[in-house]
């Protein structure tokens, strides 16, 4: 009996260890970046990274991130009644003082015309973007070099923004994209937090170099924020949007569930995203809700980027959004093909605020879709790496798009068919 009790105890212990390891492995899955691609690149960088301009740019940016001071919403005081120093605050980008009233209230909307008065580098939305980019540089630098100082700095930055008792951001966006005289906060502000997914991937890349107390504390904050997203009036209204705001909402909610290892909840979001695909992309690949904007190409590409994020993450939950509703009518792929084939047709893009076709948001979707179509994305298989990836017509690759292409070589191993000279000295700009 003693022998059997020991055997049972051993089996239970081994089972517990297996379950724990399986859960850890599942939680370590990247959301937007692709582990097989990073593994291929890391192996290549070990022999030739000194000759890579994008590698040098990444390390340079990571070193700058090491020297940066931590950021917090408490560094910019709230500007609307009812807010507290720890609340995230921003102003709607297309809203302006009313010229017909003495006090400028209520502000009025000018779609496509950005008001930068409350959206400078010290504004919460800009600081959060800066934080996300710093975290991503540090996360990649740690992953490729195994130098713990990068992971330690990332933890410091995340702790200061999310966890420290004096500087932590409240786990809500009640005051995001407020409009003076109209609303203290609006559902549209949630899209400003789409960069949280980049931070989550950065934390995954450094998971083995951060302590358990930190990881548990951050998971607690994320759980509170996710609950706010799903239950608050602002969150529920954003969920109902049939444009890029709704798409990024799904990506944020699903990605947070995946990071927290809540697979079934994430799968439910992806199933709901199927309705978005049909509602937002027609059989020809057009996105009518984005075409009505003053920058139709920009918003179509921007929404497509969100859909490819969803499709990338959905594969982790065994949900196929790439070929939805079916292989012949794959709407996300149709949307990409339509934009790629018509990017140079200015007759289709009549937005009054779109003086230039900016192809920046097309780069990552192109890389993801190439990986999906060639079968390389999840497997890391290099069999089809010699295929050239058609990108954007030469004259439509502006400086920003060229920088995006160059820096994405640290995220994707595919051979690119570049139609414009790489930009070797550009800052890290790849927006997953």
């Amino acid at each position: 009996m003693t022998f059997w009790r020991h055997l049972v105890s051993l089996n239970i212990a081994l089972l517990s260890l297996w379950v724990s390891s399986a859960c850890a492995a599942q939680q370590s899955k990247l959301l937007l970046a692709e582990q097989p691609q990073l593994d291929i690149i890391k192996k290549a960088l070990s022999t030739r990274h000194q000759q890579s301009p994008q590698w040098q740019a990444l390390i340079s940016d990571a070193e700058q991130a090491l020297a940066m001071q931590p950021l917090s919403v408490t560094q910019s005081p709230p500007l609307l009644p009812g807010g507290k120093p720890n609340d995230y605050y921003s102003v709607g980008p297309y809203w302006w003082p009313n010229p017909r009233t003495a006090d400028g209230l209520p502000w009025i909307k000018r779609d496509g015309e950005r008001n930068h008065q409350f959206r400078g580098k010290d504004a919460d939305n800009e600081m959060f973007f800066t934080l996300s980019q710093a975290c991503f540089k540090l996360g990649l630098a740690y992953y490729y070099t195994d130098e713990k100082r990068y992971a330690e700095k990332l933890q410091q930055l995340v702790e200061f923004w999310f966890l420290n008792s004096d500087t932590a951001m409240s786990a809500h966006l009640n005051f995001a994209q407020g409009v003076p005289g109209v609303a203290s906060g609006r559902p549209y502000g949630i899209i400003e937090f789409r960069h949280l997914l980049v931070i989550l991937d950065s934390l995954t890349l450094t998971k083995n170099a951060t302590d358990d107390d930190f990881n548990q504390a951050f998971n607690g904050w994320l759980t509170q924020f996710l609950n706010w997203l799903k239950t608050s009036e602002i969150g529920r209204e954003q969920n109902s949007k049939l444009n890029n705001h709704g798409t990024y909402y799904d990506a944020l909610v699903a990605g947070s569930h995946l990071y927290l290892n809540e697979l079934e909840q994430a799968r439910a979001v992806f199933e709901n995203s199927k309705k978005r695909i049909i509602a937002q992309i027609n059989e020809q690949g057009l996105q009518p809700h984005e075409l009505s904007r003053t920058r139709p190409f920009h918003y179509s590409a921007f929404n497509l980027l969100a859909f490819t994020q969803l499709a990338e993450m959905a594969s982790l939950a065994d949900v196929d959004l790439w070929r939805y509703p079916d292989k012949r009518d794959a709407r996300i792929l149709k949307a990409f093909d339509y934009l790629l084939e018509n990017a140079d047709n200015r007759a289709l893009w009549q937005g009054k605020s779109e003086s230039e076709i900016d192809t920046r948001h097309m780069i990552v979707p192109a890389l993801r879709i190439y990986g999906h179509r060639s079968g390389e994305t999840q497997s890391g298989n290099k069999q089809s790496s010699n295929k050239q990836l058609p990108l954007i017509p030469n004259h439509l690759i502006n400086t920003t798009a060229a920088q995006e292409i160059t820096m994405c070589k640290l995220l994707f191993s595919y051979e690119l068919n570049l139609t414009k000279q790489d930009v070797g000295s550009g800052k890290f700009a790849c927006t997953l």
Side-chain angles (χ1 to χ4, degrees), residues 349-373:
W349 317 112
Q350 297 291 328
K352 66 178 183 179
S353 299
E354 197 156 51
S355 58
E356 177 189 23
I357 296 298
D358 185 356
T359 56
R360 168 186 41 160
H361 293 309
M362 287 287 290
I363 306 304
V364 171
L367 288 161
R368 286 186 176 132
I369 288 171
Y370 173 77
H372 167 72
R373 284 173 164 165

Side-chain angles (χ1 to χ4, degrees), residues 66 135 137-143 145-158 202-203 205-211 214:
L66 285 175
C135 287
K137 297 164 191 175
L138 291 166
L140 274 184
Y142 169 75
Y143 179 77
T145 67
D146 295 315
E147 293 188 27
K148 196 171 182 179
R149 61 195 180 108
Y150 294 124
E152 291 172 344
K153 183 64 177 185
L154 190 154
Q155 179 173 331
Q156 179 200 37
L157 294 178
V158 171
S202 305
L203 291 171
L205 289 171
T206 58
K207 185 77 73 176
N208 64 349
T210 52
D211 59 76
F214 164 75

Side-chain angles (χ1 to χ4, degrees), residues 107-126:
W107 281 26
I108 59 174
K109 187 177 183 180
R110 300 177 185 172
D111 192 19
E113 298 181 35
R114 287 188 173 272
N115 183 345
H116 297 284
Q117 182 178 358
F118 298 115
R119 301 181 74 83
K121 65 179 182 179
D122 296 326
D124 287 353
N125 62 304
E126 289 298 328

Side-chain angles (χ1 to χ4, degrees), residues 241-244 247 273-291 299-311 321-326 328-339 365 369:
K241 303 298 182 185
L242 293 178
N243 59 5
N244 62 85
T247 315
S273 297
K274 292 179 178 179
K275 301 175 184 177
R276 290 199 194 282
I277 292 173
I278 299 302
Q280 295 188 46
I281 305 173
N282 67 21
E283 293 181 357
Q284 288 72 46
L286 283 78
Q287 302 173 58
H289 298 285
E290 311 303 338
L291 294 176
Y299 279 108
S300 294
F302 185 56
N303 193 37
L304 175 65
L305 176 60
F307 272 123
T308 64
Q309 289 180 352
L310 279 169
L321 297 184
W322 289 116
R323 292 176 291 186
Y324 189 79
D326 56 56
R328 292 187 176 183
D329 189 23
R331 298 290 176 91
I332 292 177
L333 302 183
K334 282 186 174 181
F336 171 76
D337 289 340
Y338 182 86
L339 288 178
I369 288 171

Side-chain angles (χ1 to χ4, degrees), residues 217-409:
F218 179 80
N219 287 357
W221 187 96
L222 183 61
T223 298
Q224 292 181 53
F225 178 67
L226 183 55
N227 182 64
W228 177 86
L229 282 173
K230 298 175 67 174
T231 63
S232 68
E233 182 179 351
I234 286 178
R236 291 197 302 270
E237 185 173 344
Q238 186 75 336
N239 185 30
S240 69
K241 303 298 182 185
L242 293 178
N243 59 5
N244 62 85
H245 284 274
T247 315
Y248 279 103
Y249 174 88
D250 274 5
L252 184 55
V253 172
S256 297
H257 276 307
L258 285 175
Y259 183 84
L260 293 169
N261 200 28
E262 297 170 349
L263 189 61
E264 289 305 315
Q265 292 92 322
R267 187 176 287 118
V269 178
F270 296 130
E271 290 297 331
N272 183 68
S273 297
K274 292 179 178 179
K275 301 175 184 177
R276 290 199 194 282
I277 292 173
I278 299 302
Q280 295 188 46
I281 305 173
N282 67 21
E283 293 181 357
Q284 288 72 46
L286 283 78
Q287 302 173 58
H289 298 285
E290 311 303 338
L291 294 176
S292 63
R293 301 295 298 276
T294 60
R295 292 190 293 163
F297 184 91
H298 164 82
Y299 279 108
S300 294
F302 185 56
N303 193 37
L304 175 65
L305 176 60
F307 272 123
T308 64
Q309 289 180 352
L310 279 169
E312 184 76 23
M313 291 187 293
S315 64
L316 300 175
D318 297 322
V319 177
D320 186 359
L321 297 184
W322 289 116
R323 292 176 291 186
Y324 189 79
D326 56 56
K327 187 175 182 179
R328 292 187 176 183
D329 189 23
R331 298 290 176 91
I332 292 177
L333 302 183
K334 282 186 174 181
F336 171 76
D337 289 340
Y338 182 86
L339 288 178
L340 185 64
E341 294 167 4
N342 293 285
D344 200 26
N345 186 354
R346 284 311 302 259
L348 296 174
W349 317 112
Q350 297 291 328
K352 66 178 183 179
S353 299
E354 197 156 51
S355 58
E356 177 189 23
I357 296 298
D358 185 356
T359 56
R360 168 186 41 160
H361 293 309
M362 287 287 290
I363 306 304
V364 171
L367 288 161
R368 286 186 176 132
I369 288 171
Y370 173 77
H372 167 72
R373 284 173 164 165
S374 65
E376 292 186 3
T377 301
Q378 296 300 324
S379 65
N381 180 10
K382 291 289 289 180
Q383 292 181 355
S384 55
S385 63
N386 292 326
K387 293 181 179 179
Q388 289 185 323
L389 170 63
L391 286 178
I392 314 301
N394 178 47
H395 59 286
L396 290 180
I397 299 180
N398 57 19
T399 300
T400 305
Q403 290 175 357
E404 191 95 351
I405 292 170
T406 300
M407 294 313 299
C408 279
K409 288 185 177 181

